[in-house]
Amino acid sequence: MYSAEINRKQPALLMLLVDQSFSMSEPAGQGQGTKADVLALAVNNLLGNAVLLCSRGGEKIYNYFEVGVVGYGAKIGPILHGADAERRVLPVKELADNPRRIDTVARRVPDGAGGVVPVQQQMPVWVDPLADGATPMVSALGYAEPVIASWCAAHPSSFPPMVINVTDGASTDGDPREAADRIRELSTDDGAALVFNLHLSALGGQAVTFPDTAADMTDPNAQRLFEASSVLPPAMLEASAALGYPVRSGSRGFLYNADVTMVIDFLDIGTRAVTPTGLKELITPTDDDAVPGDGGDATSDDDDDSSHNGGDQPAL
């Protein structure tokens, strides 16, 4: 299970549920702006990285996965340019071709002599920060459920869909466990759909990272989100360990009171999990961006371009 190869005939699905409630207007800490600012930047960076992972170092983008980003707060709905209520997920190539805009940002990069220099770089923007309304988490999960159901029916041999919910608070429209369970009851031939929950905090409380039990959790919200989270598949478990997190068999895809770095780490793991070699590169860093088994650049979008989980490549 959770070992299906990922290719254009057998893509994966990543859906992000992004909390856009009023509390996301609170400072993120460390002078980084609001929590909404930080989360939007993280999502944009990771979508950009995912596009690069699907380009194999060239300009052509290969549709190894489809992505949906759903915002929930005063409104619930897709927030990617080109997506709407009838078309809630997009192929990664369409994502790459249709950012909302291109911003020029200042970055500090190594100068090769031990220092740093400021440079201007262009950054695609798919998601803007927004903070308005309550936290209708149950409704957001319910919004995602039919998308996951229809996608599983259309892609029975694919790696199971992954839903990552990022929030800074408790659900205001009920207990999210039942809604999450309904998603996790959906499956492809390769396993049940995955639901992960990341709770963002700027208060510096005790962080809970990838727990395998809720026994020590005194916060009812933490207990609910833990129970609404899936166990990490083996390759994601290994990737989390590679980043220094104390994981074990049975650890769930759940962070509570997480700081920005933790959220970025886990979003990176999730994004890489739906690309053919992304997790392998995280577990065993390599300069070789080529997809194993490829004999060079493809010349047609109809080519197979399978990425086989052979040899020592960890199964996704």
Side-chain angles (χ1 to χ4, degrees):
M1 305 296 279
Y2 301 105
S3 59
E5 64 183 36
I6 295 173
N7 55 55
R8 283 177 288 160
K9 291 183 178 179
Q10 199 167 278
L13 172 63
L14 173 65
M15 178 165 280
L16 301 178
L17 306 183
V18 177
D19 185 349
Q20 295 184 318
S21 63
F22 180 76
S23 60
M24 293 294 287
S25 63
E26 297 171 355
Q30 302 177 350
Q32 299 180 88
T34 68
K35 288 184 278 188
D37 292 332
V38 168
L39 183 54
L41 180 62
V43 171
N44 287 322
N45 280 338
L46 290 162
L47 292 177
N49 289 341
V51 168
L52 291 176
L53 285 167
C54 291
S55 70
R56 302 187 304 182
E59 294 183 359
K60 190 171 183 178
I61 309 299
Y62 298 86
N63 284 325
Y64 293 131
F65 77 98
E66 297 175 3
V67 61
V69 182
V70 175
Y72 63 97
K75 298 179 180 178
I76 300 173
I79 55 179
L80 292 178
H81 185 60
D84 54 36
E86 301 301 320
R87 192 163 177 261
R88 303 181 187 184
V89 299
L90 302 175
V92 66
K93 185 179 186 305
E94 187 171 342
L95 174 80
D97 292 341
N98 292 284
R100 290 186 177 275
R101 64 183 183 278
I102 305 291
D103 284 351
T104 300
V105 298
R107 292 191 178 279
R108 295 163 63 85
V109 300
D111 62 4
V116 294
V117 293
V119 297
Q120 299 292 314
Q121 293 184 342
Q122 291 189 321
M123 174 181 288
V125 175
W126 289 278
V127 175
D128 283 317
L130 180 64
D132 185 25
T135 311
M137 192 183 302
V138 173
S139 298
L141 289 163
Y143 189 90
E145 181 185 350
V147 181
I148 303 303
S150 62
W151 196 92
C152 286
H155 302 85
S157 299
S158 286
F159 185 86
M162 187 185 312
V163 179
I164 303 179
N165 174 44
V166 188
T167 180
D168 75 331
S171 173
T172 57
D173 64 346
D175 189 330
R177 288 176 290 190
E178 183 178 343
D181 285 347
R182 288 197 301 270
I183 293 176
R184 292 190 294 174
E185 289 171 357
L186 303 170
S187 64
T188 67
D189 296 341
D190 194 44
L194 298 165
V195 178
F196 302 133
N197 290 283
L198 314 184
H199 176 273
L200 175 65
S201 174
L203 301 178
Q206 181 64 42
V208 177
T209 58
F210 307 112
D212 61 348
T213 176
D216 296 328
M217 298 179 194
T218 58
D219 185 338
N221 184 44
Q223 294 172 353
R224 286 190 290 267
L225 288 176
F226 170 82
E227 293 174 9
S229 302
S230 301
V231 172
L232 290 171
M236 295 185 72
L237 194 73
E238 188 176 356
S240 300
L243 290 175
Y245 290 99
V247 294
R248 66 185 72 181
S249 178
S251 288
R252 299 199 184 197
F254 172 54
L255 303 179
Y256 198 74
N257 282 338
D259 61 25
V260 173
T261 299
M262 294 175 185
V263 171
I264 290 174
D265 280 349
F266 193 79
L267 287 176
D268 190 29
I269 294 170
T271 305
R272 288 173 177 272
V274 295
T275 58
T277 63
L279 282 177
K280 180 183 179 182
E281 292 171 358
L282 188 61
I283 296 167
T284 308
T286 175
D287 292 330
D288 183 6
D289 289 330
V291 176
D294 272 333
D297 288 340
T299 58
S300 167
D301 282 343
D302 294 330
D303 290 345
D304 184 4
D305 277 11
S306 296
S307 176
H308 296 281
N309 286 323
D312 61 357
Q313 178 175 341
L316 295 179

